[in-house]
Amino acid sequence: MLKKIAKFIKFCLVGTIWTYTYVYCTGLLIYLIWNFNYLSVGDWQTISSFWEGGGRIKSGKDYLFVTCLLLIIPVWILGWKYFYKKDFVQLLLTPVIWYNKRKIKKYSETSSRLVLKNMGGSKKAQKLDELIEDRMKLFDKNRSPENTSSQIRESIQEKMNSEK
């Protein structure tokens, strides 16, 4: 029952917002191009008297005008259906997402740093000083003359024993 109520509310809300936006945009566009307000009774009376007086469609602009008037309602219904099928939350958040992407793009282009994610996240981070000291100890241990000479002696003994 709640799903049906939610769908009905979505249907009404999307229909209201789409209708208001569509009527405003199409009304403004048609008025700017043909100086015709399709919501005005007086403008429809002008067209009626034009037809009754033997008016004819002569130019491409006239054909386009009639086509626009005929397509107002089908495009309104198709737009309502299209926006009803869209994710409602995503539709409402579209301006916010657009703004955030724009800001991220703006600030990421000027940044010269490189951010690597998920690089060695499972290991404990060592301080730089500790890391250097550990490596120096390993380096010194491997370079000590006692260690090197004992390793050489052991390897020679292993070779001599393996030959026998």
Side-chain angles (χ1 to χ4, degrees):
M1 183 69 177
L2 288 175
K3 281 188 174 184
K4 288 183 179 182
I5 294 172
K7 283 185 177 183
F8 180 73
I9 291 172
K10 178 182 176 182
F11 180 78
C12 291
L13 190 60
V14 168
T16 304
I17 293 170
W18 168 246
T19 302
Y20 178 77
T21 306
Y22 182 74
V23 167
Y24 178 76
C25 291
T26 56
L28 184 66
L29 188 66
I30 291 175
Y31 185 76
L32 290 175
I33 295 173
W34 291 288
N35 198 21
F36 179 80
N37 183 2
Y38 65 85
L39 299 175
S40 170
V41 176
D43 287 350
W44 284 106
Q45 287 174 350
T46 304
I47 289 180
S48 176
S49 64
F50 174 75
W51 284 114
E52 289 173 3
R56 293 177 20 186
I57 299 174
K58 296 178 185 176
S59 67
K61 191 174 180 181
D62 294 338
Y63 281 108
L64 188 60
F65 175 69
V66 171
T67 304
C68 285
L69 290 179
L70 292 175
L71 288 178
I72 285 176
I73 292 178
V75 172
W76 171 65
I77 292 170
L78 289 174
W80 191 344
K81 182 179 177 183
Y82 173 79
F83 285 115
Y84 179 72
K85 287 183 179 182
K86 286 289 191 181
D87 184 20
F88 190 60
V89 175
Q90 185 71 24
L91 186 66
L92 292 175
L93 292 177
T94 300
V96 175
I97 292 169
W98 173 80
Y99 178 76
N100 286 338
K101 284 182 181 179
R102 185 171 162 238
K103 285 295 181 184
I104 289 170
K105 184 179 178 184
K106 176 183 173 184
Y107 290 116
S108 66
E109 288 177 352
T110 60
S111 177
S112 61
R113 68 182 184 140
L114 178 65
V115 178
L116 299 175
K117 295 183 179 180
N118 298 330
M119 297 293 292
S122 62
K123 296 180 181 178
K124 280 190 172 181
Q126 282 185 324
K127 291 183 180 178
L128 186 59
D129 297 333
E130 294 174 358
L131 185 63
I132 292 172
E133 285 179 29
D134 290 344
R135 292 209 177 168
M136 289 301 291
K137 286 178 185 176
L138 279 173
F139 182 75
D140 289 339
K141 184 179 178 184
N142 290 335
R143 284 194 58 199
S144 66
E146 301 165 359
N147 192 15
T148 307
S149 60
S150 64
Q151 285 178 350
I152 293 173
R153 286 187 190 119
E154 289 174 8
S155 65
I156 291 173
Q157 283 179 354
E158 287 176 6
K159 282 188 179 184
M160 289 176 67
N161 290 335
S162 66
E163 290 178 6
K164 290 184 181 182

